[in-house]
């Protein structure tokens, strides 16, 4: 008997994604106790080496072959986060290895990391022609990270609970819900810049969300408002939130001063 394949049902139809640069969020705690025991001259040399590493990353960004951002983290979950974007996972790992070879790295204790790829969903359609040739789409998929004062990062997934399973909804229903959800985000245009990282198969959650803003209170406002939207209220599951302040390379000497 010949095996026959059937077309996917409406509930089996996956939304296509447009994928851009690969992304690493590397969260670290500073081992201040051990660092205090290091001679001041050696500490200064380690900071200079770290600044040279960041300068190399800036050169890649200037060539538009990737981007990066360094932020302090508020609270006890971490002290620093380095966010890196690159065209390939091999290049992401190259940055990791270069950082591991720094003398300061011995005093930066890993607390959390997240791996994803910059993603745009196509629930609203991808337009005509090749979307990767659309300048707007390219800016979204291959972004130069903003020099905003503050960062907010959190991982999330869509629920699979009985009765509230996102993956059993029809494509039309998902499109309707995501359109309304997206309208909330667009109302914060000019206040928040958002980068979505798709991480299914890459990390423990399905997406990593990074928000940038010069007004840290906007993070609370947008997340709270979205809590009342059905996509979040019924189908959203969230991990830990990390918030922080931008740390410029030239501020490192002061930040690590003892």
């Amino acid at each position: 008997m010949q095996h026959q394949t059937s077309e996917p049902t409406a509930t089996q139809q996956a939304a296509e994604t447009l994928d851009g640069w690969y992304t690493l969020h590397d969260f670290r705690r500073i081992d201040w106790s051990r660092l205090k025991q290091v001679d001041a001259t050696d500490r200064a040399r380690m900071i200079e080496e770290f600044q040279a590493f960041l300068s190399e990353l800036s050169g890649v960004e200037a060539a538009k072959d990737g981007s990066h951002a360094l932020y302090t983290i508020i609270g006890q979950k971490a002290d620093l986060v380095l966010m890196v974007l690159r065209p390939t996972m091999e290049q992401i790992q190259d940055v990791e290895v270069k950082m591991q070879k720094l003398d300061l790295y011995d005093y930066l204790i890993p607390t959390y990391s997240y791996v994803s790829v910059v993603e745009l969903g196509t629930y609203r359609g991808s337009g005509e022609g090749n979307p990767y040739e659309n300048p707007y789409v390219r800016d979204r998929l291959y972004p130069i990270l903003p020099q905003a004062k503050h960062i907010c990062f959190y991982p999330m997934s869509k629920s699979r609970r009985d009765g509230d399973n996102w993956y059993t909804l029809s494509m039309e229903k998902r499109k309707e819900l995501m359109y309304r959800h997206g309208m909330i985000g667009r109302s914060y245009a000019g206040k928040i810049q958002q980068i979505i990282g798709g991480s299914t198969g890459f990390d423990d959650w399905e997406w990593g969300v990074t928000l940038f803003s010069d007004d840290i209170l906007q993070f609370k406002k947008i997340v709270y408002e979205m809590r009342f939207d059905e996509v979040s209220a019924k189908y959203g599951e969230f991990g830990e939130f990390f918030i922080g302040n931008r740390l410029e390379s030239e501020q490192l000497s002061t930040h690590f001063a003892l």
Side-chain angles (χ1 to χ4, degrees), residues 28-247:
R28 300 270 158 180
R29 178 175 60 82
I30 302 171
D31 191 341
W32 291 109
S33 296
R34 290 181 57 231
L35 200 56
K36 288 176 182 178
Q37 300 174 25
V38 178
D39 179 79
T41 301
D42 290 336
R43 284 202 311 269
R45 178 186 52 77
M46 287 191 293
I47 297 305
E48 289 177 1
E49 184 186 42
F50 188 45
Q51 288 172 322
F53 165 73
L54 293 175
S55 179
E56 183 177 341
L57 299 187
S58 295
V60 174
E61 183 170 290
K64 296 185 178 181
D65 290 329
S67 190
H68 74 283
L70 180 66
Y71 282 80
T72 62
I73 295 297
I74 303 167
Q76 301 302 309
K77 298 171 186 174
D79 292 320
L80 299 171
V81 60
L82 178 65
M83 180 180 179
V84 180
L85 290 82
R86 288 292 184 272
T88 70
M89 279 291 193
E90 289 83 359
Q91 290 168 307
I92 288 287
Q93 190 170 45
D94 285 345
V95 175
E96 275 193 295
V97 171
K98 287 180 180 178
M99 187 173 177
Q100 290 165 357
K101 293 178 180 178
L102 300 175
D103 288 342
L104 185 62
Y105 184 85
D106 293 340
Y107 303 88
L108 301 178
I109 311 303
T111 60
Y112 188 65
S113 68
Y114 203 82
V115 177
S116 62
V117 59
V118 179
E119 175 185 295
L120 285 179
T122 58
Y123 280 114
R124 297 183 63 202
S126 57
E128 297 181 358
N130 183 351
Y132 289 96
E133 296 178 356
N134 183 316
Y136 171 77
V137 171
R138 291 189 61 82
D139 286 344
R140 295 285 303 278
L141 293 177
Y142 314 110
I144 299 300
L145 298 179
Q147 297 186 4
K149 292 181 180 179
H150 309 290
I151 192 173
C152 174
F153 172 81
Y154 60 93
M156 65 164 293
S157 295
K158 291 293 199 302
S159 72
R160 295 180 178 83
R161 296 182 295 267
D162 291 341
D164 292 325
N165 188 328
W166 178 259
Y167 295 96
T168 61
L169 297 177
S170 69
M171 174 62 81
E172 288 306 312
K173 182 63 175 178
R174 280 178 277 145
K175 283 182 177 180
E176 174 192 337
L177 292 173
M178 288 304 296
Y179 175 78
R180 297 206 305 260
H181 190 70
M183 291 301 290
I184 297 175
R186 284 189 285 278
S187 71
Y188 284 83
K191 300 176 183 178
I192 289 176
Q193 183 168 334
Q194 173 181 269
I195 294 176
I196 303 295
S199 46
T200 302
F202 289 163
D203 221 308
D204 297 337
W205 298 78
E206 294 173 340
W207 292 276
V209 180
T210 310
L211 308 176
F212 296 92
S213 181
D214 288 330
D215 179 3
I216 202 166
L217 193 58
Q218 297 302 319
F219 299 150
K220 177 179 181 292
K221 291 180 180 297
I222 190 172
V223 172
Y224 181 67
E225 185 174 354
M226 284 190 167
R227 283 288 193 270
F228 291 91
D229 181 72
E230 189 174 356
V231 170
S232 295
K234 289 185 66 175
Y235 302 105
E237 297 178 346
F238 301 86
E240 291 187 308
F241 281 69
F242 299 82
I243 61 167
N245 303 316
R246 185 171 180 83
L247 182 60

Side-chain angles (χ1 to χ4, degrees), residues 2-47:
Q2 186 176 4
H3 177 71
Q4 293 183 345
T5 59
S6 59
E7 293 296 323
T9 66
T11 57
Q12 295 172 322
Q13 188 177 355
E16 294 183 5
T17 61
L18 303 177
D19 302 298
W21 277 340
Y22 294 95
T23 307
L24 169 68
H25 291 73
D26 189 338
F27 292 86
R28 300 270 158 180
R29 178 175 60 82
I30 302 171
D31 191 341
W32 291 109
S33 296
R34 290 181 57 231
L35 200 56
K36 288 176 182 178
Q37 300 174 25
V38 178
D39 179 79
T41 301
D42 290 336
R43 284 202 311 269
R45 178 186 52 77
M46 287 191 293
I47 297 305

